[in-house]
Amino acid sequence: MILFFLLLGEEDTSRVIVHIDVDCFYAQVEMIRDPSLRDKPLGIQQKYIVVTCNYVARKHGVTKLMGIKQAKELCPELVLVKGEDLTHYREMSYRITVTLQKFSPLVERLGFDENFVDVTETVDARLKSTFSPQLNGHIFPEMEIEGTYERHKRLACGSQIAAEMRQALHSDLGITCCAGIAHNKLLAKLVAGQHKPNQQTSLLPGGVGKLMGTLKTARNIPGIGSRTFKRLQTLGISTVQDLQDAPADVLQAEFGSQTAQVMQQLCRGVDPSPVTPTGPPQTISDEDSFKKCASLQDAKERMTGLLQSLMKRLKGDGRFPHVLRVTVRKLSASNKWTNRESRQCAIPSHLFGTGAEETISKLLDLCVVLFCKMVDVNHPFHLTLINICFAKLEARS
DNA sequence: ATGGATGAG
DNA sequence: CATTCTCATCCAT
């Protein structure tokens, strides 16, 4: 059956994909850690920025990535919790993924606070038993259609599973989230945002055009970032409609046939990409940004701090890295963005055999070598960020 | 394999 | 625009 419309170039609408998007994730973790924060306006602070905030704070006009100063002006009562150490967020993030894996092994993480789950198999298994489920939560578009449940049994079943997932996250972890249910990842993610917070929305197949129409520009399509959008604008393309109507050969000339086709599929709500189960992380990194680092001594102290926290994480992970990478950001008047430089080297495998203190000292020596390939320490320099990354993580052999 | 560009939250 | 602190993929070399 599926083979037919695949051969005809039609899409597969038989999958059922759930997108789980945790409400104001960092703020929720802090409110769980300290319930007295629940009814107060709360912002999570990294350096001079509020990276996210709870809904009480949003009521006062505080938004993501707002400067501390402006946020305090809008909301003098705002409680700020430092969130530069991601340990608690990372731990809760993986607990969420593990909880979702009880419903299906096909769970793909997106950042710390979003997961895609392919529940097609679960839906098929449930529909073999006789009962016919009611659709749980909102539907998009929100209009009453005769026979909605009968004609969309699989979607309704998916919405029941999504509700069970959200219940499990709430009772096991105390976490609230939104869910989107649709026949592909793109649509599940987009429809999840229709009713926030702590609600869920299912997309009827007939509502795809209308959902894509809610996007203000093509920039709002996941996968089309700021750079790609600028290039599209160069071609006179900015809205989703522009992209749908654009001649294929014009797009191909700018982006190549592969990328051009993917973009034009996405803007029509077509996304054949599978839910790819996320394994353990491929890299473990730690970074710090600052106003100024101008001496090797200072850099060594900062890198030592990063290495110490990385070693703790490595112990929890159980694997060992075979590559070390150091990244710096240099202050530069022009090109203030996209200016990170990195150097990497192999880690001799004997290095993790001895005590932690000795290991850190040897790693620091390697970091200094890499650092000096990017920074001439005999001349004045001005760094604003240092990152250390462990890569090629493998079980000990 | 390396390092940069670009994407995600 | 990035800003924070991550993590992933793609591409030219």
Side-chain angles (χ1 to χ4, degrees):
Chain A
M1 191 62 150
I2 287 178
L3 284 174
F4 281 152
F5 45 68
L6 249 57
L7 287 167
L8 294 169
E10 308 276 327
E11 3 158 34
D12 172 14
T13 56
S14 71
R15 292 186 298 161
V16 182
I17 310 297
V18 178
H19 181 252
I20 298 288
D21 187 344
V22 179
D23 304 325
C24 53
F25 180 49
Y26 290 4
Q28 261 206 271
V29 171
E30 297 301 342
M31 291 190 296
I32 290 167
R33 276 159 51 79
D34 178 1
S36 77
L37 296 171
R38 285 257 167 221
D39 46 9
K40 299 173 186 157
L42 171 65
I44 306 305
Q45 176 176 193
Q46 287 174 342
K47 296 300 176 324
Y48 60 95
I49 282 191
V50 178
V51 292
T52 192
C53 60
N54 67 4
Y55 276 80
V56 180
R58 289 184 199 191
K59 234 177 36 199
H60 293 263
V62 182
T63 64
K64 294 178 182 184
L65 301 182
M66 180 177 275
I68 295 292
K69 194 176 164 186
Q70 192 191 348
K72 279 291 206 172
E73 281 168 18
L74 281 167
C75 180
E77 307 290 85
L78 184 65
V79 177
L80 292 171
V81 171
K82 287 270 206 222
E84 286 150 18
D85 182 343
L86 304 188
T87 303
H88 297 300
Y89 311 140
R90 188 154 39 223
E91 286 174 359
M92 181 62 87
S93 175
Y94 278 99
R95 275 183 228 133
I96 288 167
T97 298
V98 166
T99 298
L100 295 175
Q101 283 169 341
K102 294 173 184 166
F103 292 85
S104 162
L106 301 180
V107 180
E108 179 179 340
R109 295 164 52 79
L110 183 60
F112 279 8
D113 67 339
E114 297 184 16
N115 289 270
F116 293 101
V117 191
D118 186 331
V119 296
T120 306
E121 299 245 333
T122 316
V123 165
D124 286 339
R126 288 195 187 189
L127 288 183
K128 282 182 182 170
S129 73
T130 54
F131 92 115
S132 126
Q134 283 292 304
L135 208 145
N136 193 124
H138 300 91
I139 62 172
F140 185 97
E142 44 190 313
M143 44 166 114
E144 9 164 337
I145 294 172
E146 292 298 321
T148 290
Y149 307 126
E150 270 311 301
R151 293 195 293 109
H152 301 287
K153 280 189 183 187
R154 301 171 58 73
L155 191 67
C157 188
S159 75
Q160 288 296 326
I161 295 166
E164 291 166 27
M165 289 173 170
R166 294 205 299 132
Q167 179 55 237
L169 292 175
H170 192 55
S171 49
D172 293 3
L173 305 175
I175 284 284
T176 69
C177 64
C178 289
I181 305 95
H183 62 258
N184 70 39
K185 290 202 291 180
L186 198 227
L187 298 170
K189 179 177 167 65
L190 291 179
V191 83
Q194 285 295 308
H195 296 279
K196 300 202 290 189
N198 194 21
Q199 296 169 75
Q200 65 178 249
T201 313
S202 300
L203 176 66
L204 300 178
V208 172
K210 183 159 184 178
L211 182 64
M212 297 312 293
T214 65
L215 301 183
K216 194 128 185 52
T217 71
R219 175 67 181 82
N220 299 127
I221 296 171
I224 299 185
S226 57
R227 297 303 171 129
T228 303
F229 185 60
K230 281 202 168 180
R231 289 167 70 184
L232 284 170
Q233 284 182 305
T234 292
L235 303 177
I237 298 166
S238 55
T239 68
V240 171
Q241 188 68 52
D242 291 342
L243 188 50
Q244 286 173 1
D245 297 342
D249 58 331
V250 171
L251 282 182
Q252 281 171 27
E254 174 67 22
F255 297 98
S257 66
Q258 177 73 37
T259 308
Q261 207 207 57
V262 169
M263 284 195 311
Q264 279 203 313
Q265 301 255 92
L266 288 178
C267 74
R268 295 179 164 100
V270 176
D271 175 18
S273 70
V275 174
T276 304
T278 306
Q282 298 171 18
T283 59
I284 294 179
S285 68
D286 219 322
E287 72 183 40
D288 194 11
S289 65
F290 31 77
K291 278 283 159 336
K292 182 175 188 176
C293 170
S295 72
L296 180 58
Q297 174 61 26
D298 191 0
K300 283 169 91 168
E301 282 164 22
R302 294 182 190 277
M303 290 193 289
T304 302
L306 295 175
L307 283 172
Q308 283 169 347
S309 92
L310 280 173
M311 288 303 289
K312 291 186 185 174
R313 283 216 268 152
L314 212 51
K315 194 174 175 186
D317 183 274
R319 293 171 297 170
F320 290 88
H322 292 337
V323 165
L324 175 69
R325 178 157 58 239
V326 175
T327 302
V328 301
R329 184 177 63 196
K330 296 172 177 169
L331 184 72
S332 58
S334 62
N335 231 23
K336 193 183 185 326
W337 52 94
T338 307
N339 59 345
R340 284 154 93 107
E341 285 177 56
S342 70
R343 294 291 183 273
Q344 66 182 235
C345 68
I347 302 175
S349 37
H350 64 264
L351 235 151
F352 288 92
T354 64
E357 202 151 313
E358 185 70 8
T359 302
I360 288 181
S361 150
K362 298 261 182 61
L363 286 171
L364 179 60
D365 291 344
L366 288 179
C367 286
V368 169
V369 172
L370 296 171
F371 183 90
C372 291
K373 292 187 181 191
M374 297 180 282
V375 179
D376 182 350
V377 294
N378 298 310
H379 288 294
F381 60 90
H382 188 325
L383 306 182
T384 61
L385 176 142
I386 300 179
N387 176 106
I388 298 180
C389 177
F390 286 142
K392 282 210 174 56
L393 269 2
E394 285 164 19
R396 196 177 36 167
S397 63

